[in-house]
Structure formats: structure tokens, C-alpha cells
Amino acid sequence: MEAYRYPDGSITYPGHPIGPGGEEPVDTVDLSDYTAEVITWTTSTAAPPGVREPNTLAIVEFDVDGEPVRAIGGVTTGDEVAIGDEVRPVYVEELREPGAGIREPDSQEWDGYRFEPV
Amino acid sequence: MENVAIIGASMTQFGRRDGWVLDLLSEAGTACLDDAGVSPDAVDHLYVSNMASGEFEGQTGIMNAIAHDLAAMPAYTARIDQTSSSGGAGVKHAWQSVASGASDMTLLVGAEKMTHRTTPEATDVIASITHPVEYKHGVTLPSFAGLTARLYLDTYDAPRESLGKVAVKNHKHGVHNPHAQFRKEVDLDTVLESPIVADPLRLYDFCPITDGSAALMFCPESVAKEYTDDYVLVPGVGGATDTHVVHERADPTTMRGVVESSRIAYDMADVGPDDVDVAELHDMFTILEFLQSEDLGFFEKGEGWKAIEEGRTEMGGDMPINPSGGLKSKGHPLGASGVAQVYEIYEQLMGEAGKRQVGDADTGLACNVGGFGNCVITTLMEAN
């Protein structure tokens, strides 16, 4: 779960060739080493092809040594989550069935992290 | 720089249509030429607003196809894709073509054909705009709406019912729109008891999947006077972007693209939010009507929900929003929606909106949102 750190101290997930301050990244941070707080969440019952249904998703915020970094991901426990909960990233080999949807399977990675309440 | 005028407008029936994208474009384009009284050989530029005809039906090159079908050659043409705000982006490009002096007559036609796809397929075509880190989690535009709605209700202590009242209002308005996909009122209980789509939002918080087309004819005001005494002016058009990755926004309940695009449009037109008599907003999801009405400056941040509770955004209120029925009732054929918003404001400022007429409207605003606020176009219009 690689995030980029930029010269002004800001961190983004995903990383970008140029950061919010207009400068190129200087370092990476593995967010899977940290816990995060749930900012908001939803349970989607109208999932597109190749996606689990229902699909509970959350926007979470990591605190990386005082620098906030946000990410989105599925929740491992369904809708048993609340704003303000602490979660940790849990690795999942295949988040969504590659090729079931419109996107070319080889154009991106399909593994990643879901969030599990601590 | 000359004033830019709109001298003709049209829109097709929105809903489930038998025709394909070229049929829809042709229907609206022909009607707009007729409405404006403009010969096809007088068209200098022809823009086509469309998000995904290639993905939806395997038809590409639609801008040249429609130029041929309308006998508009050798007019310059281009297809404008800005996802759900393709229509608004088409308005901006059409405006620029006239304001710059590059074109003395510009036809803009927006269209999308979607209903032959299943809901999951159409949802996936639209969700393909997302970043890979979003797409692999099955993130959809409705799920962004659910995430944002929960945060808005929690942050501003707004009642869930206020979102439902947006759907009730816009369905009520849409009853009087002959082009709307749904011309049927719904009550609040029906909205609040409909199936959950993206918790806390339910089926009636979302616009439908729609086929349809709309068109506008732009020219300099000096040329407009050669055709008609009745036209509408476009004194301001602003476009802006926000992050592609939605979760990177510091405050998901603020749409920076709406704030910035409206600031540009207000400055160009030398007006402010208090001058706007009627507005068409991009209510693809009920929560978007709150966010836009606040970020356009109609209401204070976090108080958009109070406006619906107080009836201020209904017909007869002091800030009527979506007299057309909005995307919620009228339907949302992606590339056509932004054009159809301006069509509605044109009708309002011309005093030709019939039972939807909001009174003596002099200044109108249309806000067309692409993605989940990723790209936004705000257009200001004034009666002649």
C-alpha cells in the first residue's frame, strides 16, 4: 500500500508524478504498517460485474507521523463499521474479478488491502 | 469581444428510446436548426457532447457522422468528452468558438444512448472513469454518493428525510416537463422505503439510466439580430477541476470544481449568486443538489438541507432549483444532460417554459458536474 511523500511533507495515496505542492516525490511510505480512522462509509448493493455484493466501502485517514493521508477500500466486516472506528489494512489477493468489468485486465493490479476494524 | 447569444434550442424525449446515438443526435440537431431558422450550410462549427458512444454501442466518429447527416459540411467538428459534464463542456467550447471570432454560427448537440445496457453494465461503463485504486475495489459513482451523503448528514446534523425531499420536489417539477423520463410524483414514504442502493441512499435518491439528446445554436449577438428579436445571452461560462481520486479531497462535502467554475462565471458575467433567479443543478444523486447549492453560494455551507425543508428551492420559492425536474425526473443521458440544463434555462429566460415557468426570470444558471465533481462547468445566462 505504497504512498508517495513530497518535499513539502505531504503524502498521497495513490502517488502522483507531481504532488499537491507542485514537486516530484522524494520518498515512499507503506501505509499497511499503520492503522487509520474511518471518515465515512457506505454499503453498495448495486455492484458492477465482478464485484462482491453487498460491497461495504470506507474512506479512511492514516496518521503518518502527524501527516494525514486518506485512502479508500472495502471493509472486511460488512456494514459493522462506524465513522471514527480504527481500522487496519488487511491484504487481499484479488479484490475484484479481473476481466468481468470493462477495464482491460492487464492494465492495472487487482490485489490490495481491505480495512478491518481493530 | 462580442456578446454570445443562443438563438435556438431543442431536446428530444428523454427515456427509453428505440433509436441509437446517431438517430438521437439527428433528431435534436434537425429540430434545433428548425427552431433557430438556420440553414445547415451556415453552421461554421458543430460540436457533439458525448461521453461513451464507443463503449455503449461501438459507434465512434459520431461528430463527423452527424455533420454529414445534417449536411453541415465543411463545418469544423469535434466530439467533446468530459464524462457527465460533456454537455457543459460542449457549451463552453461552443461559447469560446463564437466569443473568439472563430465561428459565426455554432451548433452544439449532446446525446447518449444507454438503456440497451443492463444497470450493472452501464454502472461499470460510468465507473471506468475511476482511478485504478478505486476501480479495483468496485467503487462506483453511486457509492461515492453514499459515502458523501453519510458524511454530510453526520457533519451538519441534517435529517435523512431532507435528501428524500429533493427527490419529491424534482419529481413534482418533472410532471410538467413533456420531455421528462418520469412525469410522476412520488411521496416521501415511497422514497424512504425504496431499496437501498448505497447506504444511506436509496433507489429514489438516484437518477435513472436514460437515452436522449439536446441541442443549442450559438452565434454573436450581432448575427442573432439578423435572425430574431428573441434570444438569450451567455455572459459567463466557467470550467474547473477537482481531484481525480475522490478520497484525496480534504473535505468531501465541498466540490471545489463547483466553487471555482462558478467564481469564474460570476466574474465574467459581473453578477453574484443573489442575482440568480432560476438554476438547473446536476442532481444525479440527491446529495449533489445540497453540495452544489452551497458551493454556488446560494446557501451557507451545511445549510443546503434547510432550504429544501423551508421550501425555498421549490417552484414559488426564492431560489427555484431544477424546474425541469432535474436529472432525477428528466433523466440523465450523460452527454446530453448539460445541454438539456441550458435548454431549460433558455426556455425559462424566453418565458416559454409553460407550467414550469418560474416567473419573470432574468438571470439563470446551469451547473453540470462530471464524475463526482471531478470536472464542473457553470454557465450563466441572461434574458435579452
Side-chain angles (χ1 to χ4, degrees):
Chain A
M1 201 173 184
E2 186 178 79
Y4 284 8
R5 192 195 303 270
Y6 306 91
D8 63 0
S10 61
I11 303 171
T12 69
Y13 175 80
H16 301 282
I18 298 176
E23 296 178 289
E24 295 183 15
V26 291
D27 198 6
T28 61
V29 178
D30 184 355
L31 296 178
S32 68
D33 292 338
Y34 295 82
T35 60
E37 178 184 330
V38 173
I39 301 298
T40 186
W41 63 277
T42 188
T43 297
S44 171
T45 55
V51 177
R52 65 179 184 164
E53 193 172 295
N55 188 26
T56 298
L57 298 160
I59 292 176
V60 305
E61 183 170 293
F62 294 87
D63 181 344
V64 179
D65 305 324
E67 185 66 26
V69 192
R70 291 192 175 183
I72 193 167
V75 176
T76 60
T77 53
D79 60 3
E80 292 178 20
V81 66
I83 290 174
D85 280 358
E86 185 180 8
V87 295
R88 65 175 165 233
V90 176
Y91 181 74
V92 177
E93 196 167 329
E94 189 174 281
L95 295 163
R96 172 179 184 167
E97 183 186 346
I102 190 172
R103 189 158 292 172
E104 180 63 32
D106 292 339
S107 71
Q108 70 165 77
E109 296 174 342
W110 301 91
D111 65 337
Y113 290 83
R114 287 188 178 132
F115 303 121
E116 179 181 79
V118 173
Chain B
M1 188 173 73
E2 260 211 269
N3 292 330
V4 176
I6 297 176
I7 62 168
S10 69
M11 69 178 284
T12 69
Q13 177 68 48
F14 277 14
R16 186 179 294 274
R17 299 290 308 273
D18 289 334
W20 297 88
V21 70
L22 291 177
D23 301 312
L24 297 167
L25 285 166
S26 177
E27 184 181 337
T30 303
C32 189
L33 286 165
D34 287 346
D35 188 58
V38 170
S39 170
D41 61 9
V43 174
D44 292 328
H45 286 199
L46 168 54
Y47 295 102
V48 174
S49 293
N50 171 261
M51 173 177 164
S53 63
E55 292 80 357
F56 276 120
E57 67 174 84
Q59 176 69 62
T60 60
I62 58 175
M63 61 288 178
N64 173 243
I66 195 63
H68 188 175
D69 278 349
L70 297 180
M73 293 88 71
Y76 168 75
T77 190
R79 171 174 165 268
I80 311 292
D81 167 20
Q82 203 187 77
T83 69
S84 290
S85 55
S86 297
V91 170
K92 181 164 173 54
H93 283 263
W95 184 92
Q96 287 177 169
S97 74
V98 172
S100 68
S103 170
D104 272 347
M105 192 63 69
T106 295
L107 175 60
L108 167 66
V109 195
E112 210 79 46
K113 170 69 179 180
M114 306 169 69
T115 63
H116 57 293
R117 294 287 198 162
T118 65
T119 297
E121 287 173 348
T123 301
D124 194 41
V125 169
I126 298 167
S128 70
I129 72 169
T130 58
H131 190 282
V133 302
E134 298 170 328
Y135 188 81
K136 68 182 177 182
H137 284 286
V139 173
T140 60
L141 274 292
S143 59
F144 281 137
L147 289 160
T148 306
R150 183 181 303 286
L151 186 61
Y152 183 95
L153 297 178
D154 185 75
T155 303
Y156 299 113
D157 199 24
R160 170 65 183 87
E161 289 75 11
S162 63
L163 289 166
K165 289 177 182 176
V166 174
V168 171
K169 169 182 72 76
N170 289 347
H171 271 270
K172 184 178 178 183
H173 290 177
V175 167
H176 300 299
N177 188 340
H179 302 294
Q181 185 164 1
F182 299 126
R183 300 185 64 186
K184 182 181 175 185
E185 290 196 43
V186 295
D187 59 38
L188 188 58
D189 286 344
T190 301
V191 175
L192 298 178
E193 292 169 9
S194 61
I196 289 175
V197 172
D199 187 28
L201 299 181
R202 294 169 179 266
L203 183 64
Y204 276 93
D205 288 294
F206 296 87
C207 69
I209 291 169
T210 309
D211 308 325
S213 183
L216 302 162
M217 189 70 77
F218 294 79
C219 64
E221 187 174 17
S222 59
V223 175
K225 293 178 188 294
E226 298 173 13
Y227 283 88
T228 179
D229 294 329
D230 301 316
Y231 52 87
V232 164
L233 294 171
V234 186
V237 188
T241 50
D242 202 339
T243 64
H244 176 211
V245 181
V246 172
H247 68 247
E248 287 192 49
R249 298 171 193 171
D251 176 8
T253 66
T254 293
M255 306 191 101
R256 194 171 60 173
V258 175
V259 174
E260 290 300 319
S261 67
S262 63
R263 181 187 58 76
I264 294 167
Y266 287 139
D267 285 351
M268 286 173 70
D270 195 24
V271 299
D274 292 344
D275 297 308
V276 176
D277 300 312
V278 57
E280 283 286 307
L281 306 189
H282 193 98
D283 59 330
M284 185 177 182
F285 321 111
T286 51
I287 182 66
L288 288 186
E289 191 166 302
F290 291 169
L291 303 191
Q292 286 164 84
S293 66
E294 294 169 11
D295 294 336
L296 288 164
F298 296 157
F299 310 115
E300 293 295 318
K301 194 69 206 163
E303 297 194 355
W305 68 271
K306 293 180 182 173
I308 188 87
E309 296 284 347
E310 295 165 356
R312 298 178 63 187
T313 55
E314 291 184 19
M315 300 287 291
D318 67 318
M319 186 59 253
I321 291 176
N322 286 327
S324 72
L327 279 55
K328 179 72 194 74
S329 162
K330 187 172 55 185
H332 182 25
L334 306 167
S337 288
V339 183
Q341 288 180 313
V342 171
Y343 168 89
E344 176 67 18
I345 299 298
Y346 174 86
E347 293 281 286
Q348 293 285 343
L349 299 182
M350 293 281 282
E352 296 176 351
K355 290 184 177 178
R356 308 190 312 280
Q357 189 66 43
V358 299
D360 293 329
D362 292 322
T363 301
L365 178 150
C367 186
N368 190 200
V369 172
F372 200 74
N374 305 21
C375 302
V376 182
I377 303 288
T378 300
T379 303
L380 276 161
M381 300 162 63
E382 290 178 353
N384 172 27

